[in-house]
Amino acid sequence: MTSFPFFQHISSDRSSLAREGVIRTRHGVVPTPAFMPVGTRGTVKGLTPDTLSACGAEIVLVNAFHLWLRPGTERVREAGGIGRMMGVDCPVLSDSGGYQIHSLETRRTVTEEGVSFLSPYDGAKVFLSPEISVAHSEALGVDIRMVLDDLAGAAAPPARIREAMERTHRWALRALNAWDPGTTAPLFGIIQGGVDRALREESARGLVSLVGSRGQSFSGFGIGGLGVGETVDERLSVLDATVPILPENRPRYLMGVGYPGDILEAVRRGVDLFDCVLPTRNARNGSYFTREGAIAIRNARFREDDRPIDSSCGCATCRRHSRAYLHHLVKNDEMTGAILGTIHNVSFYLEIMREIRARIRSGTLSGLDWPCFTTRHAIGGDS
Amino acid sequence: MTSFPFFQHISSDRSSLAREGVIRTRHGVVPTPAFMPVGTRGTVKGLTPDTLSACGAEIVLVNAFHLWLRPGTERVREAGGIGRMMGVDCPVLSDSGGYQIHSLETRRTVTEEGVSFLSPYDGAKVFLSPEISVAHSEALGVDIRMVLDDLAGAAAPPARIREAMERTHRWALRALNAWDPGTTAPLFGIIQGGVDRALREESARGLVSLVGSRGQSFSGFGIGGLGVGETVDERLSVLDATVPILPENRPRYLMGVGYPGDILEAVRRGVDLFDCVLPTRNARNGSYFTREGAIAIRNARFREDDRPIDSSCGCATCRRHSRAYLHHLVKNDEMTGAILGTIHNVSFYLEIMREIRARIRSGTLSGLDWPCFTTRHAIGGDS
């Protein structure tokens, strides 16, 4: 019997650390580098499963923390798992909620045992630990899952950043021990350490060398705690320091980042997986990605522009609709404008990933110089 | 050369005035009785053209008045017409705005010449006349269009109801004379007269007998001024008095009405065309139509209900999603909930029309007794 590896490295770029690969899961195969549309609460905002699939999505992200609170992990399990409940045919990756807990406005208490906090939905007192997180992601029936981590913002004092990293490591070992790699979905560790290269190297080495009580090690590695206020240079420096430490036969996932240019730079540094709310959230604000950079569709100059959003885009929106029509819908707060914009932006991100994979394979990644990869913040400063 | 008639009566029900027919337009054929999803501002709220088509839509309604104000009739014409701008492949019918002007909260002045009012979008002073209305609908490139009418609410004094009806007739003649039936889209007259059967009969006879300066008469007839506060019995009495007066070879369109039961009762009285915002608006409020009556998906009893909205419905939502999932989405204000609900409700209305047509053909319309046709106001009192 041939056993296929979870991740397989297929080809490498000539001029960078970029690599093409494939992730195999129970619910299908994901070519990498891959972008995961964000479906935090069990839905990619504005997309039905049919449109998500038509956009080219091959894997989708959900948040185990949010699903635990609403509609409830047990509810999702009874419904046949999150993929079935959402109606998607592709694999699903669940984040654990470390970032969400970090961002909670209600009071939270992080102790060695885990995190106590008030539910942002109803204020109920809840407790989450590395072991509980593994159990929830298993009950959700996802295909890939992340450990519970502790992270600090870019502005946190060095002592807090070290503390978060070290706690993340201790929690990672507990999660490893709570995980049965023989029968349940792959588990990723999450590298922390702020923007301190030495700490990040220490974190990467620490997680790579972790071995659980049954000899198990992580199936892949998330690079977390970024997109929280650091500069682009700081983020790329973290990648330069971290990725070369990670094993070649495990996927690397840069969590929550970013613009097309951020993704391309990270791919060049050896990253395989991405997620970001930018394509969906910006679409709802009328900000659309194109090869030439982003455009704000509310701008009066689009009122009579009968061209598609991006003339080289093959998405359902660009095939049928003009900028003028989208301008009309968005100016009048018509929800179909948000839907059509989301279809375009998500399709555009997935088209970028297909282009990146094709260029890695053909050795032409260094020639990928669409303006959208250099004009990062054409619309606003959000990231 | 064979010239196909605009409307053809195909079969009749045995036990009522219900009839099956077909409307032929430049952009396709519409089997009747037909329901038109409402796309007032050039979009059916929540549906892309692909999903609208997947719902089974064979004709869609827009509002020439709204499109004139936003994005502008000339803009739509430059974009290739409203069907092309919306990206739909099916025929489009435009209402003129008589009802919208009647409902305007800003001050309006109706004179013999036309209507002066302030734009609800920007307060600009605008003027609309029967001739201007014909010109706008022609420039929009629609397939069927309605004359500009004057209507009075159900609570208006009899003198005002008569005045509105008589002005509607004078405007109808002006619209007829402004219309070139040889080269431009069919034009429908609109019957007024409140809930007074004698006035309605007078209105129907008047419009049917109208002949323009080039010998042209109306392609079909709208029954307007209903759904504005009258009782169900009053409305059905109006249909009983009016429809038999209308020529057999012209479509009859009951404007803006209503619940499935309202539609079935009107079909039984000989009506061919319908539009209503109920399926789309109710979907956004989490109220779904089913064969057993309407359900409010926010209700806690759906939290763990893994059945589809309607187990006999074949729509994309019912094929993939549970009530529990929709409950989760709607409770959390996820826009995908509004989209999936709209797909169901619109599909359900169109399924009802297919069932009605099949039963007229097979002579079994009298046996159509799904509970949804009798439980009118299961959710609220809105109509």
Side-chain angles (χ1 to χ4, degrees):
Chain A
M1 190 182 96
T2 307
S3 171
F4 290 106
F6 168 62
F7 175 76
Q8 208 166 0
H9 178 166
I10 294 173
S11 72
S12 296
D13 183 44
R14 297 170 188 171
S15 57
S16 73
L17 297 179
R19 59 193 203 156
E20 193 195 4
V22 65
I23 291 175
R24 289 189 177 82
T25 79
R26 290 174 297 184
H27 289 104
V29 161
V30 182
T32 63
F35 177 80
M36 300 182 282
V38 175
T40 302
R41 297 195 284 204
T43 167
V44 179
K45 290 180 191 298
L47 299 184
T48 68
D50 289 335
T51 45
L52 182 66
S53 172
C55 289
E58 288 167 310
I59 177 169
V60 61
L61 174 97
V62 299
N63 192 284
F65 164 79
H66 278 286
L67 293 172
W68 168 40
L69 300 176
R70 291 278 186 285
T73 301
E74 182 57 16
R75 179 83 277 285
V76 175
R77 194 191 62 73
E78 285 168 4
I82 187 62
R84 180 152 178 213
M85 191 175 203
M86 292 174 72
V88 298
D89 298 320
C90 66
V92 178
L93 179 148
S94 66
D95 195 2
S96 63
Y99 179 82
Q100 283 67 31
I101 291 168
H102 163 78
S103 308
L104 275 183
E105 290 179 13
T106 54
R107 206 170 54 197
R108 60 182 151 72
T109 312
V110 182
T111 65
E112 191 56 26
E113 183 54 25
V115 196
S116 300
F117 58 93
L118 304 181
S119 164
Y121 292 98
D122 59 10
K125 279 184 78 167
V126 275
F127 175 75
L128 188 55
S129 72
E131 293 84 0
I132 294 171
S133 178
V134 167
H136 280 292
S137 59
E138 183 174 331
L140 289 173
V142 299
D143 299 281
I144 304 175
R145 47 206 176 130
M146 310 302 294
V147 296
L148 181 67
D149 58 338
D150 185 15
L151 73 156
R160 165 66 191 136
I161 290 173
R162 169 165 283 282
E163 177 197 52
M165 181 198 78
E166 291 179 348
R167 184 173 286 133
T168 292
H169 290 193
R170 293 191 297 271
W171 286 3
L173 181 58
R174 285 166 53 189
L176 258 190
N177 286 332
W179 168 50
D180 181 351
T183 58
T184 64
L187 184 69
F188 282 31
I190 301 180
I191 297 160
Q192 290 294 347
V195 294
D196 182 321
R197 287 173 63 109
L199 274 191
R200 285 280 178 177
E201 287 177 19
E202 184 179 338
S203 184
R205 287 188 214 285
L207 292 177
V208 167
S209 65
L210 270 192
V211 178
S213 52
R214 281 165 290 188
Q216 68 272 45
S217 60
F218 286 120
S219 318
F221 296 91
I223 302 162
L226 293 174
V228 291
E230 79 284 356
T231 67
V232 174
D233 286 345
E234 285 171 335
R235 189 192 312 141
L236 295 180
S237 169
V238 164
L239 294 180
D240 284 332
T242 309
V243 176
I245 293 170
L246 301 175
E248 203 260 350
N249 63 348
R250 296 283 189 273
R252 304 138 182 183
Y253 164 26
L254 175 56
M255 303 174 74
V257 177
Y259 281 90
D262 298 325
I263 289 176
L264 180 57
E265 287 307 310
V267 163
R268 287 183 170 141
R269 285 162 177 81
V271 174
D272 308 298
L273 268 179
F274 299 88
D275 79 282
C276 192
V277 296
L278 277 173
T280 45
R281 194 179 61 194
N282 282 17
R284 296 195 301 282
N285 296 330
S287 172
Y288 303 153
F289 292 94
T290 84
R291 279 167 179 69
E292 304 303 317
I295 63 173
I297 201 67
R298 287 176 180 273
N299 195 301
R301 72 190 164 103
F302 298 118
R303 215 186 82 81
E304 307 195 351
D305 189 339
D306 285 322
R307 295 173 298 172
I309 299 175
D310 182 322
S311 56
S312 18
C313 177
C315 81
T317 300
C318 287
R319 282 201 308 271
R320 286 191 189 248
H321 298 292
S322 65
R323 293 169 170 186
Y325 180 59
L326 291 157
H327 172 84
H328 165 63
L329 295 183
V330 171
K331 288 281 281 188
N332 287 289
D333 291 326
E334 285 285 356
M335 68 183 292
T336 309
I339 297 167
L340 291 172
T342 303
I343 287 172
H344 168 76
N345 275 359
V346 170
S347 297
F348 184 79
Y349 264 63
L350 294 167
E351 168 63 24
I352 282 178
M353 304 316 291
R354 281 195 298 276
E355 181 75 16
I356 285 174
R357 293 195 297 267
R359 282 172 178 265
I360 293 173
R361 203 175 314 133
S362 64
T364 56
L365 187 66
S366 62
L368 184 54
D369 57 0
W370 301 347
C372 66
F373 291 115
T374 50
T375 56
R376 276 189 75 251
H377 290 175
I379 297 299
D382 58 346
S383 67
Chain B
M1 191 181 97
T2 307
S3 171
F4 289 106
F6 168 61
F7 176 75
Q8 210 165 2
H9 178 165
I10 294 173
S11 71
S12 297
D13 182 45
R14 298 169 187 171
S15 57
S16 72
L17 298 179
R19 60 194 203 156
E20 193 195 3
V22 64
I23 291 175
R24 289 190 177 82
T25 78
R26 291 173 297 184
H27 290 103
V29 160
V30 183
T32 62
F35 177 81
M36 301 182 281
V38 175
T40 302
R41 297 196 283 205
T43 167
V44 178
K45 290 181 193 297
L47 299 184
T48 68
D50 289 334
T51 44
L52 181 66
S53 172
C55 288
E58 288 168 311
I59 178 169
V60 61
L61 174 97
V62 298
N63 193 284
F65 164 80
H66 277 286
L67 293 172
W68 168 39
L69 300 176
R70 291 277 186 286
T73 301
E74 182 58 15
R75 178 83 279 284
V76 176
R77 194 191 61 73
E78 287 167 2
I82 187 62
R84 179 152 178 212
M85 191 175 204
M86 291 173 72
V88 298
D89 298 320
C90 65
V92 179
L93 179 148
S94 66
D95 195 2
S96 63
Y99 178 83
Q100 283 67 30
I101 291 168
H102 163 77
S103 308
L104 274 183
E105 289 179 12
T106 53
R107 206 170 54 195
R108 60 182 151 72
T109 313
V110 182
T111 64
E112 191 57 26
E113 183 54 24
V115 195
S116 300
F117 58 93
L118 305 181
S119 164
Y121 293 98
D122 59 9
K125 279 184 77 168
V126 275
F127 175 74
L128 187 56
S129 72
E131 293 85 359
I132 294 172
S133 178
V134 167
H136 279 292
S137 59
E138 184 174 331
L140 289 173
V142 298
D143 299 279
I144 304 175
R145 48 207 174 127
M146 310 303 293
V147 297
L148 182 67
D149 57 338
D150 184 15
L151 72 155
R160 166 66 190 135
I161 290 173
R162 168 165 283 282
E163 178 197 52
M165 182 199 77
E166 291 179 347
R167 184 174 283 133
T168 292
H169 290 193
R170 292 191 298 272
W171 285 3
L173 181 59
R174 284 167 53 190
L176 258 189
N177 286 332
W179 167 51
D180 181 351
T183 59
T184 63
L187 184 69
F188 281 31
I190 301 180
I191 297 160
Q192 290 294 345
V195 295
D196 182 321
R197 287 173 62 109
L199 274 190
R200 285 281 178 175
E201 288 176 20
E202 182 180 338
S203 185
R205 287 187 214 286
L207 292 176
V208 167
S209 65
L210 270 192
V211 178
S213 52
R214 281 165 291 186
Q216 69 272 44
S217 60
F218 285 120
S219 317
F221 297 90
I223 303 162
L226 293 175
V228 291
E230 79 284 356
T231 67
V232 174
D233 287 345
E234 285 171 335
R235 189 193 311 142
L236 296 180
S237 169
V238 164
L239 294 180
D240 285 333
T242 311
V243 176
I245 294 170
L246 301 176
E248 202 261 350
N249 63 347
R250 296 281 190 274
R252 305 138 181 183
Y253 165 25
L254 175 55
M255 304 174 72
V257 176
Y259 282 89
D262 298 326
I263 289 177
L264 180 57
E265 287 305 311
V267 163
R268 287 182 169 142
R269 285 162 176 82
V271 173
D272 309 298
L273 269 178
F274 299 89
D275 79 281
C276 191
V277 297
L278 277 173
T280 45
R281 193 180 62 195
N282 282 19
R284 296 195 302 281
N285 296 331
S287 172
Y288 303 153
F289 292 94
T290 83
R291 279 165 177 70
E292 303 303 317
I295 63 172
I297 201 67
R298 287 176 180 274
N299 195 302
R301 72 191 165 101
F302 297 118
R303 214 186 83 80
E304 307 195 351
D305 188 339
D306 285 322
R307 294 173 298 172
I309 299 175
D310 183 322
S311 56
S312 17
C313 176
C315 81
T317 300
C318 287
R319 281 201 309 271
R320 285 190 190 251
H321 298 293
S322 65
R323 293 168 169 187
Y325 180 59
L326 292 157
H327 173 84
H328 165 64
L329 295 182
V330 171
K331 289 281 282 188
N332 286 289
D333 292 326
E334 285 285 354
M335 68 184 290
T336 308
I339 297 167
L340 292 173
T342 302
I343 288 172
H344 169 76
N345 275 359
V346 169
S347 297
F348 184 79
Y349 263 64
L350 294 167
E351 168 63 23
I352 282 178
M353 303 316 291
R354 281 195 298 275
E355 181 75 17
I356 286 174
R357 292 195 298 267
R359 283 172 177 265
I360 293 173
R361 202 176 313 133
S362 63
T364 57
L365 187 66
S366 63
L368 184 53
D369 57 0
W370 301 347
C372 66
F373 291 115
T374 50
T375 56
R376 277 189 74 251
H377 290 177
I379 298 300
D382 58 346
S383 67

